[in-house]
């Protein structure tokens, strides 16, 4: 869902406090963060839903994996400019007293903003002042994250352009120091947040990357370039399906030195906040939700990415892996310092039609086609079974399955003096209710539509062909079995009433009559 907020401005001024010749194994100096979330902007701006929770997510990942002690994380919710200014000054003072040249400062903001400043409720925090406070810190590494609309104008002013992830030389002896600006959208784009993710696209993918999904080289360290690459690709992919349109992250940087900057370490976590390891199948993208299917989204991995390993707090999680035609779902309990590896056969496969019917939220409806063999009892006592084929188009919603079906069958009869061939061409619209069980689904429905009946005769005498229209009403039930790759096998049995005009024997007059029939269908379908 769009929200009028969300371009992420990440200014990173970094210093190499890493060991010579390698990215630092773990942070050895003071790391301080100021994390600001404000759902309220200026008077005419819509209230945001998840800005304050985005700040809390960043705080948790920095505490658990980024080497930030709880007392060095300053989280501000719904505060004004004065409070934010004071918090940054206080953080800088703390770093200065600690001898900050080897320290790290992170300032993160999620809320409304424009190119001129942050909108903290009724107050405005000028970008120039914010940047000066961050640049003026004594810390060697300084990271500023601003998650707000049209913040790409900031990187444009500073020479940034919409571009894919940048590459930094890594693991050289010379420490890095300088400035990096990252944004989640270009200057003329609205950044967006998602009700399904309960947060902004960019921050969701940034946090997921820091939890381990961005560890492309498998060294159990997530660097600045890895985190941005993962967030860039995820934001582009997710926003391309949204009503607000595609967001294009941008960057601009000026670094001195040649070490990439390690943001998180994928270890068991600090004392008091132990972590567990969760490895997911690499065949598809997975969402990890807390507790159950309606819980908040904790992290996401990408199909085909190098890393599908996440470091998460102990607890119960619900997993949902999205494929082209179905989902994999399951639950897992993660314990501190333990590693859980999830494999596809351990998860339940859920067809999208089932998910739509139970209101799973991934899709509002799904379409499909069916075709197969049809067998109907005769319209007259003497007539043979009518055998033929059918084809149908179907739309599945949360409350009803609707289908439009065309069918044709041929029957007839024969005696000593006369034989006939009878063809039935039928169109029908059917509505059905479906109950899903572990292996099969059962549907019950009603159908209505017209038929065209034709009959030709073979005889020694004269017997002209007959053509008549009929109306059909059917009621039936069936069993459907989901197969792989979106295919389904469907078997149905229905009883129908056919109303049509029948010519009286030996006369030229006809009268309306009704025939009760049984109809059986066996078909193969595919949904998308």
């Amino acid at each position: 869902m769009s929200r009028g907020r969300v371009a992420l401005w990440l200014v990173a001024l970094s210093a190499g406090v890493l060991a010579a010749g390698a990215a630092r194994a773990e942070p050895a100096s003071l790391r301080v963060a100021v994390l600001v979330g404000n759902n309220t902007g200026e008077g005419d701006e819509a209230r945001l839903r998840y800005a304050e929770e985005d700040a809390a997510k960043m705080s948790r990942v920095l505490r658990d994996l980024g080497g930030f002690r709880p007392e060095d994380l300053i989280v501000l919710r719904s505060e004004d400019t004065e409070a934010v200014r004071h918090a940054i000054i206080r953080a800088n003072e703390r770093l200065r007293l600690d001898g900050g040249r080897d320290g790290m400062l992170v300032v993160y903001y999620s809320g409304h903003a424009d190119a001129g400043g942050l909108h903290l409720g009724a107050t405005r925090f000028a970008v120039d002042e914010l940047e000066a406070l961050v640049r003026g810190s004594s810390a060697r590494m300084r990271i500023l994250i601003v998650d707000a609309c049209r913040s790409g104008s900031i990187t444009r002013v500073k020479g940034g352009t919409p571009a894919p992830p940048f590459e930094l030389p890594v693991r050289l002896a010379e420490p890095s120091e300088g400035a990096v600006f990252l944004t989640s959208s270009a200057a003329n784009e609205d950044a967006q947040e998602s009700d399904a993710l309960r947060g902004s696209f960019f921050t969701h993918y940034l946090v997921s990357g820091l939890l381990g999904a961005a560890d492309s080289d498998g060294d159990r360290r997530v660097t600045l370039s890895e985190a941005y690459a993962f967030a860039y690709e995820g934001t582009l992919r997710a926003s391309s399906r949204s009503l607000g349109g595609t967001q294009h992250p941008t960057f601009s940087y000026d670094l001195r030195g040649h070490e990439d900057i390690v943001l998180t370490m994928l270890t068991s976590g600090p004392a008091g906040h132990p972590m567990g390891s969760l490895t997911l199948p690499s065949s598809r993208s997975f969402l990890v939700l807390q507790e159950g299917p309606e819980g908040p989204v904790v992290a996401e991995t990408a199909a085909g990415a190098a890393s599908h390993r996440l470091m998460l707090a102990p607890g119960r999680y619900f997993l949902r892996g999205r494929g082209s035609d179905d989902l994999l779902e399951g639950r897992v309990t993660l314990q501190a310092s333990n590693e859980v590896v999830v494999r596809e056969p351990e998860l339940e496969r859920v067809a999208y039609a089932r998910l739509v019917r139970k209101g799973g939220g991934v899709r509002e409806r799904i379409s499909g086609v069916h075709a197969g063999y049809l067998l109907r009892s005769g319209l007259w006592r003497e007539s043979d079974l009518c055998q033929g084929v059918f084809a149908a188009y179907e739309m599945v919603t949360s409350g009803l399955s609707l289908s439009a079906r065309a069918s044709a069958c041929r029957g007839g009869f024969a005696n000593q003096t006369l034989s006939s061939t009878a063809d039935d061409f039928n169109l029908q619209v059917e509505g059905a209710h479906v109950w899903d069980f572990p292996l099969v689904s059962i549907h019950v429905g009603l159908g209505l539509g017209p038929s065209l009946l034709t009959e030709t005769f073979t005889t020694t005498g004269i017997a002209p062909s007959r053509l008549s229209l009929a109306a059909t009403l059917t009621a039936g039930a069936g069993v459907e079995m989901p197969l792989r790759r979106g295919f389904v096998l469907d078997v149905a049995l229905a009883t129908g009433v056919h109303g049509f005009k029948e010519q009286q024997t030996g006369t030229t007059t006809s009268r309306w009559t009704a025939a009760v029939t049984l109809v059986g269908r066996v078909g193969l379908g595919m949904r998308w």
Side-chain angles (χ1 to χ4, degrees):
M1 171 180 291
S2 291
R3 74 177 186 180
R5 120 173 184 311
V6 206
L8 177 132
W9 176 28
L10 173 63
V11 179
L13 297 172
S14 62
V17 281
L18 312 179
R24 177 180 306 169
E26 59 182 66
S29 56
L30 182 63
R31 293 185 166 196
V32 180
V34 179
L35 303 121
V36 183
N38 199 320
N39 289 334
T40 305
E42 295 180 338
D44 60 343
E45 292 176 318
R47 181 174 176 82
L48 304 177
R49 299 186 181 187
Y50 307 113
E52 294 173 16
E53 179 55 31
D54 280 346
K57 290 177 184 178
M58 283 296 298
S59 173
R60 287 192 292 268
V61 73
L62 294 179
R63 177 199 67 192
D64 294 338
L65 299 174
F68 290 75
R69 298 176 302 183
E71 60 268 28
D72 296 325
L73 292 165
I74 305 169
V75 181
L76 303 176
R77 295 173 179 258
S78 299
E79 297 288 352
D80 62 10
T81 296
E82 184 56 35
V84 175
R85 179 188 295 117
H86 178 71
I88 298 173
I89 292 172
R90 184 155 44 97
N92 282 338
E93 181 66 14
R94 188 167 191 163
L95 285 158
R96 186 184 64 80
L97 293 175
D98 188 69
R101 285 303 301 167
D102 285 333
M104 176 188 287
L105 171 68
V106 172
V107 177
Y108 171 92
Y109 171 73
S110 181
H112 283 293
D114 57 29
L118 316 183
H119 302 175
L120 295 160
T123 66
R124 179 178 285 246
F125 197 163
V127 165
D128 290 344
E129 181 186 359
L130 177 63
E131 182 182 346
L133 285 173
V134 175
R135 285 185 181 275
S137 175
S138 61
R140 178 168 288 170
M141 178 184 292
R142 289 140 358 226
I143 301 174
L144 174 61
I145 304 172
V146 178
D147 192 340
C149 282
R150 293 175 293 280
S151 58
S153 60
I154 300 170
T155 57
R156 182 182 62 187
V157 169
K158 299 178 181 299
T161 57
F166 57 90
E167 295 182 0
L168 298 175
V170 296
R171 293 176 178 78
L172 302 179
E174 184 181 356
S176 298
E177 185 172 3
V180 177
F181 301 80
L182 309 180
T183 80
S184 68
S185 65
N188 60 345
E189 294 173 348
D190 283 338
Q192 302 166 65
E193 65 181 3
S194 164
D195 281 341
L197 300 177
R198 300 188 189 181
S200 74
F201 285 129
F202 196 97
T203 295
H204 165 72
Y205 287 106
L206 180 62
V207 169
S208 295
L210 294 175
L211 287 170
D215 183 24
S216 58
D217 58 7
D219 65 352
R220 306 190 73 166
R221 303 173 176 88
V222 178
T223 64
L224 174 64
S225 59
E226 286 176 326
Y228 174 68
F230 187 83
Y232 173 90
E233 292 169 0
T235 300
L236 211 63
R237 181 176 62 250
S239 63
S240 68
R241 298 191 294 261
S242 69
L243 292 176
T246 304
Q247 290 177 221
H248 296 83
T250 73
F251 74 85
S252 173
Y253 68 92
D254 177 19
L255 288 177
R256 295 174 294 281
H258 299 286
E259 285 180 334
D260 205 346
I261 302 158
V262 177
L263 296 182
T264 55
M265 297 293 304
L266 306 181
T267 62
S268 59
H273 296 282
M275 306 289 280
S277 170
L278 177 65
T279 301
L280 299 170
S282 60
S283 57
R284 58 182 68 199
S285 298
F286 271 87
L287 284 179
V288 180
L289 300 94
Q290 198 161 17
E291 293 290 342
E294 304 304 321
V297 176
V298 176
E300 181 173 349
T301 60
S307 175
H308 278 74
R309 182 176 180 272
L310 300 170
M311 298 300 299
L312 302 173
R316 295 182 299 178
Y317 296 95
F318 183 84
L319 312 177
R320 176 175 290 155
R322 183 169 184 169
S324 59
D325 48 52
D326 59 17
L327 297 183
L328 293 179
E329 293 186 337
R331 299 175 186 267
V332 65
T333 299
L334 198 60
Q335 298 179 348
S337 302
N338 281 3
E339 181 172 356
V340 174
V341 178
V342 178
R343 295 176 175 83
E344 280 199 18
E346 301 169 0
L347 301 173
E348 178 187 2
R349 191 174 301 276
V350 183
Y352 279 127
R354 291 187 165 211
L355 197 69
V356 167
R357 286 195 287 263
K358 71 179 183 179
V362 176
R363 297 185 185 178
E364 294 182 357
R365 64 182 63 87
I366 191 169
S367 300
V369 292
H370 288 248
Y373 171 74
L374 175 145
L375 181 66
R376 175 177 62 70
S377 62
L379 296 178
W380 302 276
R381 184 177 301 175
E382 302 86 358
S383 59
D384 300 329
L385 295 175
C386 192
Q387 300 185 67
V389 294
F390 73 91
Y393 173 80
E394 164 189 52
M395 183 174 68
V396 180
T397 67
S398 61
L400 192 66
S401 177
L402 296 172
S403 61
R405 182 168 51 250
S407 63
C409 69
R410 169 168 289 186
F413 74 91
N415 56 34
Q416 292 181 347
T417 61
L418 180 70
S419 65
S420 75
T421 300
D423 294 312
D424 181 358
F425 302 96
N426 177 256
L427 295 175
Q428 193 166 65
V429 175
E430 182 178 86
H433 185 74
V434 185
W435 292 269
D436 292 312
F437 296 95
L439 297 179
V440 299
S441 299
I442 296 176
H443 55 85
V444 174
L446 293 173
L448 179 66
S451 290
L452 177 65
L453 305 175
T454 67
E455 192 174 14
T456 59
F457 300 94
T458 302
T459 180
T460 55
I462 299 175
S465 299
R466 293 189 297 193
L467 178 68
S468 62
L469 292 175
T472 62
L473 175 65
T474 61
V479 177
E480 176 186 286
M481 178 180 294
L483 305 175
R484 299 295 297 272
R485 300 186 180 278
F487 286 96
V488 294
L489 178 65
D490 187 47
V491 178
L493 183 64
T495 182
V497 177
H498 296 251
F500 58 94
K501 280 189 174 184
E502 182 180 36
Q503 187 173 344
Q504 300 300 297
T505 303
T507 72
T508 58
T509 62
S510 60
R511 66 183 179 119
W512 280 98
T513 187
V516 178
T517 62
L518 289 176
V519 182
R521 296 190 306 271
V522 178
L524 187 67
M526 183 177 184
R527 296 191 175 118
W528 58 86

